[in-house]
Short mmCIF file of all heavy atoms in Angstrom, two decimals:
data_model
loop_
_atom_site.label_atom_id
_atom_site.label_comp_id
_atom_site.label_asym_id
_atom_site.label_seq_id
_atom_site.Cartn_x
_atom_site.Cartn_y
_atom_site.Cartn_z
N PHE A 268 63.31 90.43 -25.30
CA PHE A 268 64.02 91.60 -25.83
C PHE A 268 64.00 91.63 -27.36
O PHE A 268 63.57 92.60 -27.96
CB PHE A 268 65.46 91.62 -25.30
CG PHE A 268 66.25 92.82 -25.69
CD1 PHE A 268 66.10 94.01 -25.02
CD2 PHE A 268 67.17 92.76 -26.73
CE1 PHE A 268 66.83 95.13 -25.37
CE2 PHE A 268 67.91 93.86 -27.09
CZ PHE A 268 67.74 95.05 -26.41
N GLU A 269 64.50 90.55 -27.97
CA GLU A 269 64.60 90.51 -29.43
C GLU A 269 63.22 90.50 -30.11
O GLU A 269 63.02 91.14 -31.13
CB GLU A 269 65.41 89.30 -29.90
CG GLU A 269 66.90 89.44 -29.69
CD GLU A 269 67.35 89.03 -28.29
OE1 GLU A 269 66.51 88.54 -27.50
OE2 GLU A 269 68.53 89.20 -27.99
N SER A 270 62.27 89.77 -29.51
CA SER A 270 60.95 89.67 -30.16
C SER A 270 60.18 90.99 -30.12
O SER A 270 59.50 91.34 -31.08
CB SER A 270 60.14 88.55 -29.52
OG SER A 270 59.88 88.83 -28.16
N ILE A 271 60.30 91.73 -29.02
CA ILE A 271 59.58 93.00 -28.90
C ILE A 271 60.24 94.08 -29.76
O ILE A 271 59.56 94.89 -30.38
CB ILE A 271 59.48 93.44 -27.43
CG1 ILE A 271 58.56 92.50 -26.67
CG2 ILE A 271 58.99 94.88 -27.32
CD1 ILE A 271 58.48 92.76 -25.19
N LEU A 272 61.57 94.08 -29.80
CA LEU A 272 62.30 95.14 -30.50
C LEU A 272 62.80 94.69 -31.87
O LEU A 272 63.78 95.23 -32.39
CB LEU A 272 63.46 95.62 -29.64
CG LEU A 272 63.08 96.19 -28.27
CD1 LEU A 272 64.31 96.52 -27.46
CD2 LEU A 272 62.19 97.40 -28.43
N LYS A 273 62.15 93.72 -32.47
CA LYS A 273 62.61 93.14 -33.74
C LYS A 273 62.63 94.14 -34.89
O LYS A 273 63.33 93.94 -35.87
CB LYS A 273 61.76 91.93 -34.09
CG LYS A 273 60.31 92.26 -34.36
CD LYS A 273 59.51 91.01 -34.67
CE LYS A 273 58.06 91.40 -34.86
NZ LYS A 273 57.18 90.98 -33.84
N ASP A 274 61.87 95.23 -34.80
CA ASP A 274 61.82 96.21 -35.87
C ASP A 274 63.02 97.16 -35.89
O ASP A 274 63.21 97.89 -36.86
CB ASP A 274 60.53 97.03 -35.79
CG ASP A 274 59.30 96.17 -36.05
OD1 ASP A 274 59.43 95.14 -36.75
OD2 ASP A 274 58.22 96.52 -35.55
N LEU A 275 63.80 97.15 -34.81
CA LEU A 275 64.99 98.00 -34.77
C LEU A 275 66.09 97.41 -35.64
O LEU A 275 66.17 96.19 -35.79
CB LEU A 275 65.51 98.12 -33.33
CG LEU A 275 64.67 98.92 -32.35
CD1 LEU A 275 65.29 98.85 -30.97
CD2 LEU A 275 64.57 100.37 -32.79
N PRO A 276 66.95 98.26 -36.20
CA PRO A 276 68.10 97.74 -36.95
C PRO A 276 68.98 96.87 -36.03
O PRO A 276 69.07 97.12 -34.82
CB PRO A 276 68.86 98.99 -37.40
CG PRO A 276 67.86 100.09 -37.33
CD PRO A 276 66.89 99.71 -36.25
N ALA A 277 69.64 95.88 -36.61
CA ALA A 277 70.41 94.92 -35.83
C ALA A 277 71.52 95.59 -35.02
O ALA A 277 71.75 95.22 -33.86
CB ALA A 277 71.00 93.86 -36.75
N ASP A 278 72.19 96.58 -35.60
CA ASP A 278 73.27 97.24 -34.86
C ASP A 278 72.74 98.07 -33.69
O ASP A 278 73.34 98.12 -32.62
CB ASP A 278 74.14 98.09 -35.78
CG ASP A 278 73.36 99.16 -36.52
OD1 ASP A 278 72.13 99.01 -36.69
OD2 ASP A 278 73.98 100.16 -36.93
N THR A 279 71.58 98.69 -33.86
CA THR A 279 70.96 99.45 -32.78
C THR A 279 70.51 98.50 -31.66
O THR A 279 70.72 98.78 -30.48
CB THR A 279 69.74 100.24 -33.29
OG1 THR A 279 70.16 101.11 -34.33
CG2 THR A 279 69.10 101.05 -32.18
N LEU A 280 69.94 97.39 -32.05
CA LEU A 280 69.50 96.38 -31.09
C LEU A 280 70.68 95.84 -30.28
O LEU A 280 70.61 95.73 -29.05
CB LEU A 280 68.77 95.25 -31.81
CG LEU A 280 68.05 94.22 -30.98
CD1 LEU A 280 66.92 94.87 -30.20
CD2 LEU A 280 67.51 93.10 -31.85
#
Side-chain angles (χ1 to χ4, degrees):
F268 184 80
E269 285 85 4
S270 63
I271 292 175
L272 300 175
K273 65 182 177 250
D274 294 334
L275 290 176
D278 58 337
T279 303
L280 189 63

